[in-house]
Amino acid sequence: KAGVTQTPRYLIKTRGQQVTLSCSPISGHRSVSWYQQTPGQGLQFLFEYFSETQRNKGNFPGRFSGRQFSNSRSEMNVSTLELGDSALYLCASSLAGTKETQYFGPGTRLLVL
Amino acid sequence: GEDVEQSLFLSVREGDSSVINCTYTDSSSTYLYWYKQEPGAGLQLLTYIFSNMDMKQDQRLTVLLNKKDKHLSLRIADTQTGDSAIYFCAESKGSGYSTLTFGKGTMLLVSP
C-alpha cells in the first residue's frame, strides 16, 4: 500500500505570495492532519480534516487554510506569505482520526524569501 | 511550560543501548508515540503505547510508561549508526480527535 504523498517536495516563494500544498493520504484513510515544523517552534498542529470537514484547528492565523476533497486528498493554502512561514509542512493520515495512529508523508519544504 | 519535554541530545557508541526520555503533562492522553526523523525526511512511526500499558517491546525497541510520573522512555538495544536521527515523543490529547502534541525532539548520535 502506498504511503502518504505530498507535492511539491520543495517550494520557493517570495513574501506576499500565496502557496498551495497537496497531500494524498494512504488509501482508505479518511483523516488528514497538517503540521508545521520549524527549528524554533518544533512541530505544531495546523488543522485536521475528516470527510471533507475541518474537525480541529491549531493556533495559526487565518492566512492558513485547508480543505479536503471527496477522495480524502487534502490541500492547504497559505496566503500573504511571511518570512516566518518558511518551514517543513507535514501531512499525516489515519483511518478515522479518533486516536488512531497517524502516518506522515515526507513533507513539503517551503522557503519564503 | 512545554506540554511534552525531551532532552535535546544523546550520544552513544555503536552496540550500546540508548535510552531517550520524555515527560508529558496531560493525564488524559490515551496514546503516546515515538517517531523518528532522519535528515530531510518526514516522520516515521516507530512505536506507540496505550496509556493503560506499562511496557511495550517491539524487536530492538522497548517503551516504558510511568503514568504516575507522566514519564515515557524509549530504549533502543544494540544501537546502530543507522539509528542516528531525531526522535520525537508525542501525545494524543483529550477526547475525540487525533491531534498530536510533540516534544522538541532528541537528536541521537551513534558513533562507530
Side-chain angles (χ1 to χ4, degrees), chain A residues 9 35 37 40-41 43 45 48 55-56 88 90 97-106, chain B residues 30-31 33 35 37 40-43 45 48 88 92-94 96-100 102 104:
Chain A
R9 292 293 312 279
Y35 294 82
Q37 185 179 26
Q41 299 299 316
L43 281 150
F45 171 74
E48 187 237 352
R55 286 201 302 197
N56 208 355
L88 180 67
L90 293 162
T98 51
K99 300 290 193 183
E100 291 166 346
T101 305
Q102 294 187 45
Y103 296 90
F104 283 79
Chain B
T30 306
Y31 289 64
Y33 301 86
Y35 284 89
Q37 187 176 38
L43 297 176
L45 175 67
Y48 62 93
F88 291 93
S92 183
K93 297 172 67 170
Y97 315 127
S98 55
T99 302
L100 296 178
F102 287 88
K104 294 284 193 191

Side-chain angles (χ1 to χ4, degrees), chain B residues 2 23 36 45 50 55 64 66 81 84:
Chain B
E2 295 290 331
T23 57
K36 175 183 179 183
L45 175 67
F50 300 150
M55 186 184 88
L64 294 178
N66 180 329
T81 54
S84 293

Side-chain angles (χ1 to χ4, degrees), chain B residues 18-100:
Chain B
S18 306
V19 179
I20 302 171
N21 294 302
C22 167
T23 57
Y24 61 97
T25 58
D26 192 337
S27 56
S28 69
S29 291
T30 306
Y31 289 64
L32 294 145
Y33 301 86
W34 285 103
Y35 284 89
K36 175 183 179 183
Q37 187 176 38
E38 297 182 70
L43 297 176
Q44 175 193 352
L45 175 67
L46 287 178
T47 187
Y48 62 93
I49 188 167
F50 300 150
S51 59
N52 62 357
M53 298 169 65
D54 297 323
M55 186 184 88
K56 180 178 180 182
Q57 189 155 1
D58 186 359
Q59 299 182 347
R60 292 190 298 123
L61 305 178
T62 302
V63 178
L64 294 178
L65 176 60
N66 180 329
K67 289 183 287 294
K68 175 177 170 290
D69 296 335
K70 297 190 182 69
H71 183 265
L72 183 74
S73 68
L74 173 70
R75 178 177 179 270
I76 306 173
D78 187 25
T79 315
Q80 303 297 306
T81 54
D83 295 324
S84 293
I86 301 177
Y87 291 79
F88 291 93
C89 166
E91 62 177 344
S92 183
K93 297 172 67 170
S95 61
Y97 315 127
S98 55
T99 302
L100 296 178

